[in-house]
């Protein structure tokens, strides 16, 4: 999808405010890997960023909810969570902006570290299963009404709501 000149100028202003100095976009390179959002590497003279963009009306608040999910993961600890710069909107385009992170090591050691981080995150416990808010799983609404029992949560919030059964 086409990015307007106004969107690009707004993005340069947003980034300039965030980093405290003038930022000019030199290149916006498409990044593959997902099928829901348009994703780009934004290259400036000295800094690069990652941005995900979608129509704000199609998936309302998706990036605000993703921001909250990233904050939650960061609070839990144990995993490397990218720094979130802003979840914003310009006209009908919603966006999520983060620093660009270069591709990491894909060695057995790196994979083992990833497994340990994932295990640590999943050791997190709470008084209930669910969240205080609903969010998305990809482009699908994900319901998170709290339940005391994991099996009740999974049946009511995942299976029944996903399949449309009562």
């Amino acid at each position: 999808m086409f990015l307007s000149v106004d969107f690009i100028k707004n993005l340069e202003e947003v980034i300039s405010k965030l980093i405290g100095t003038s930022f000019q976009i030199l290149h916006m390179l498409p990044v593959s890997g997902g099928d829901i959002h348009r994703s780009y590497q934004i290259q400036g003279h000295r800094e690069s960023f990652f941005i995900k963009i979608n129509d704000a009306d199609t998936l309302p608040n998706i990036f605000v909810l993703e921001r909250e999910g990233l904050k939650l993961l960061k609070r839990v600890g144990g995993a490397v969570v990218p720094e979130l710069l802003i979840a914003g909107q310009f006209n009908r385009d919603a966006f999520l902006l983060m620093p660009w992170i270069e591709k990491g090591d894909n060695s057995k050691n790196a994979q083992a570290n990833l497994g340990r981080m994932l295990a640590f995150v999943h050791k997190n416990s709470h008084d209930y299963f669910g969240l205080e808010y609903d969010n998305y799983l990809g482009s699908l609404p994900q319901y998170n009404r709290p339940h005391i029992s994991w099996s009740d949560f999974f049946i009511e919030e995942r299976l029944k709501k996903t399949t449309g059964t009562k």
Side-chain angles (χ1 to χ4, degrees):
M1 175 156 234
F2 177 74
L3 295 174
S4 72
V5 172
D6 289 339
F7 180 84
I8 301 293
K9 286 183 180 184
N10 176 264
L11 195 52
E12 288 176 329
E13 290 173 15
V14 166
I15 293 172
S16 295
K17 287 178 186 174
L18 287 169
I19 64 174
T21 186
S22 179
F23 182 84
Q24 179 186 8
I25 296 174
L26 300 178
H27 304 285
M28 285 188 71
L29 307 172
V31 175
S32 63
D35 59 355
I36 299 167
H37 310 296
R38 294 168 285 147
S39 302
Y40 301 91
Q41 178 187 16
I42 301 171
Q43 296 178 339
H45 289 287
R46 290 178 297 280
E47 297 181 76
S48 292
F49 299 90
F50 175 73
I51 190 167
K52 294 176 14 173
I53 305 167
N54 209 318
D55 180 79
D57 297 330
T58 303
L59 299 168
N61 298 318
I62 192 163
F63 295 132
V64 171
L65 295 167
E66 185 169 340
R67 176 191 67 203
E68 296 308 306
L70 290 170
K71 286 179 183 177
L72 180 60
L73 281 173
K74 193 169 209 143
R75 277 196 313 269
V76 168
V80 177
V81 179
E83 178 187 351
L84 177 69
L85 297 177
I86 189 169
Q89 183 173 333
F90 180 76
N91 294 333
R92 290 189 55 186
D93 288 314
F95 61 91
L96 183 71
L97 181 71
M98 295 180 270
W100 177 257
I101 300 172
E102 291 297 332
K103 184 178 177 182
D105 183 17
N106 193 24
S107 67
K108 286 184 180 181
N109 189 43
Q111 294 296 316
N113 285 337
L114 176 62
R116 282 189 285 278
M117 284 190 285
L118 187 61
F120 184 86
V121 166
H122 283 88
K123 280 185 175 180
N124 181 53
S125 62
H126 203 277
D127 296 335
Y128 57 86
F129 297 88
L131 288 172
E132 293 81 25
Y133 55 89
D134 295 333
N135 55 14
Y136 290 92
L137 177 61
S139 61
L140 300 174
Q142 181 167 266
Y143 305 99
N144 296 307
R145 190 170 51 95
H147 293 267
I148 300 300
S149 145
W150 178 86
S151 58
D152 288 346
F153 172 80
F154 187 72
I155 290 167
E156 296 298 324
E157 304 304 314
R158 296 296 182 265
L159 296 178
K160 286 185 177 180
K161 289 187 178 168
T162 302
T163 61
T165 57
K166 292 182 181 184

